[in-house]
Structures are given as structure tokens and as C-alpha cells.
Amino acid sequence: MLLRCSYRQDGKIKHETVGNLTGLPPDVIEFVQRRLSGELDANAPSSAFEIVRSLPHGHVLAVLQTAKQLGLESLLASRPCRERDLIMALIVARVLSPRSKLSTTTALQAETAKHTLGEEMELEAVDVHQLYAAMDWLLERQMRIENKLAKKHLKDGHLVLFDVSSSYYTGRESPLVERGYSRAHRSDRPQIVYGLLCDSDGRPIAIEVFPGNTADPPTFTHIVARARKRFGISRIVFVGDRGMITSARINEDLRGVEGLDWISALRTEGIRKLCAAGAVQMSLFDTQDLAEVTSEHFPGERLVVCRNPALAEQRARKREELLKATEALLEPIRIATLRTHRPLRGENEIGLRVGTVVGKYKMGKHFDLTITENSLTYTRDEEKIRNEAALDGLY
């Protein structure tokens, strides 16, 4: 063990032996090595560990402990089993870092782990097929799980929130896959529809999957019967938007049923009917923006009408913009019928072009159109516009 000094002389590197340390005790030699290597505190013991990989753990423990405190394990199954552990891991992993089932499997494996979840839950080797099998196990327990949730969170006289959404589908095996109204604006794909039932605090209680061509009202009818019969609730209040709780659904499924109430919003036709009958007058809103009215057209219902001045101004401005945009599309057609070179002729041909543009902004109802073999004239229907404007900002 030689202590040597290297230096440059005349462009050449030379070495000089300063001393022989071989006879010194090993701890002294180690001290000299560490001190010469630049350690400030040469007396500190050298590390016997090399950090090869460090897995995040804090967020795993936070989510896992929260799930256990909420009683999620006992909700899934009262007795421990491999399937319950895998489903718990899937749920916690979904909160930590949403991934596909295959990617989640990789994150749970000891060799490719992204966090300590697999180690913390002692899952050992996990195969993606085991996760799919665990999901089948969970599906069989869905009714029992939902019954537990309903018993815990739903009570008589409780508000129940319900809404419907959809997801487009890339497979072909499910009998539920159909084409329908796409909320994701993917009309090129088939889809499935699902309805979610929540308590008044937004806690999910039950979920149901429907064929992709199912409209909102039928799903509501199904969930009403399900909530009352299966969960054994004698009095319940459903809350839904105007596309969900329609007049037809009210008359067929809700009205006259003991212990069943609803909160929804009227469509434009209903508001127009109230205004025509004189039940809603603008003088109601002189001092406040809310008023309670009654009408024979809606027997037994409490009607609370609201006026939002900001929304009324916004709708008036938007209507005017759309009217002008429609006129900008109609004017070139009118000019085409007047040109001397190859004028636009034919009632059908002119009508086809007009039909294409008036539907673009849905403003055709506000125009009086006159189409002949060789001409097009259009004017705004001011009376219809005034009638619609009278409802601006009203709920």
C-alpha cells in the first residue's frame, strides 16, 4: 500500500513514492484513503450500503390505510381471500396511478414495481389473468356490496342523486355494445351506457350498465324500481335533470306513488305553457329572482321559477349572433338566384341549399322563407323571436 504523488514535468507525468503504508493498521489506511478522497469528516464510518432502487411508499400507505379505515375490505368480503386482496390492490392502484390491468400487474411485481403496494399487501407474484378473475369474482358480489352501501347510507326521506353517462367501446364481444347518443362525441364507435345512483353527499351506492342505445328516461325508470324494491326504502326523493325526469316518466313512474318524490327542471315547452297561462309574469322578479307559483297544468307540484339576468343577456346576445350567421349563409343563395350567368333555378334545388344552411345553427324557426322556381326571400319572424326572448333566463 504505497502513498504516491503524481506531477507533470517537461510535459510528462511522473510519479514519486512518498511512503509505504503497508505496515499501518487497516483503519489508519482507510482513514488516509477517505481523507485524500475529499471527505471532510474522515472519522465518519463509511457506508456499507449502495442504493440500487428506491420505491415510493408514503402515498401507498396513506391511500391503503384510508381505504381500510373506511371499511372497504369488509365491504368487499367479510373474510380474507386472495380475490379480495387483488381487488383492494386494483382500487388503491387506481387512486395512486390509473393504468391498464396489464400495466397495473407490472407495477405490482417485485422486479418491476413502481411503488410498495404489492409488497405492503404481500401479494407476491401477480398475473394479469388473476386480476381479471378477481374482477369476475367482484361482479358476482355486486348486489351484496350495493345492499351494504344502501343500508349504510340511504334512509327514508333521503335525497338520491342519479345520472347517466356513456363510454365508447372498441371490442365486439359484449351484447350491451350498441350505437347511440355519444356524450364523448365518438359517433364512429359503439358504446355502453351506465347509470350511477348516489346518496345526497355524492357517495356511489349502485351502478347499472345498459345497452348503448338506451335513452336516459328508461334508465331512470329502472333505477326507481330498483331503489324502492331492492333497497326497501319507503320514502325517497329523486333528483335528475330535465332530460332524465321527463313529464312522461313523472306521469308513468312517479306521480301518485306513495313516498316517491322528485326534483327536476321544466323544459322550454313547460315554461312557455306557464307563461301563456299567466302563471309566470316578469313583475314577479321586480325585487327578487325566485318566485313560487302554482298551475293546473302541473297538479300537486311545487313550482319555483327563477330568473337569471346574466343568462338572459347571454342568450339574447347568442341568439342575435346565430340569426346573423344564418342570414350570412342565406344571402349567397339569394344572390345566386339573381345572377345573370348560370343563375340558381328550380324550387327543389333552391330548397335543398336553404335546408342545408338553416339547420346549421337551428335558427330556421325564426325565419319566414319564400322559395319559388327562380327566387328566394327571407325575413325574420319577429313575433317568434319575441316569444322566445320572453323566456330568456327563466328556469
Side-chain angles (χ1 to χ4, degrees), residues 73-79 81 83-84 134-148:
E73 284 184 320
S74 59
L75 180 68
L76 297 175
S78 56
R79 298 180 179 179
C81 62
E83 290 81 4
R84 190 183 77 171
M135 293 177 66
D136 290 337
W137 171 86
L138 181 66
L139 181 61
E140 295 174 357
R141 306 184 62 84
Q142 178 180 352
M143 187 171 294
R144 277 179 281 182
I145 293 172
E146 292 176 349
N147 288 340
K148 290 180 182 179

Side-chain angles (χ1 to χ4, degrees), residues 126-174:
V126 179
D127 182 76
V128 67
H129 299 291
Q130 294 179 6
L131 295 185
Y132 285 124
M135 293 177 66
D136 290 337
W137 171 86
L138 181 66
L139 181 61
E140 295 174 357
R141 306 184 62 84
Q142 178 180 352
M143 187 171 294
R144 277 179 281 182
I145 293 172
E146 292 176 349
N147 288 340
K148 290 180 182 179
L149 288 170
K151 184 177 180 180
K152 183 177 181 181
H153 298 297
L154 294 186
K155 300 176 179 62
D156 279 348
H158 216 72
L159 286 174
V160 173
L161 309 179
F162 179 71
D163 204 359
V164 170
S165 190
S166 60
S167 294
Y168 66 87
Y169 197 88
T170 56
R172 298 183 299 275
E173 298 300 326
S174 174

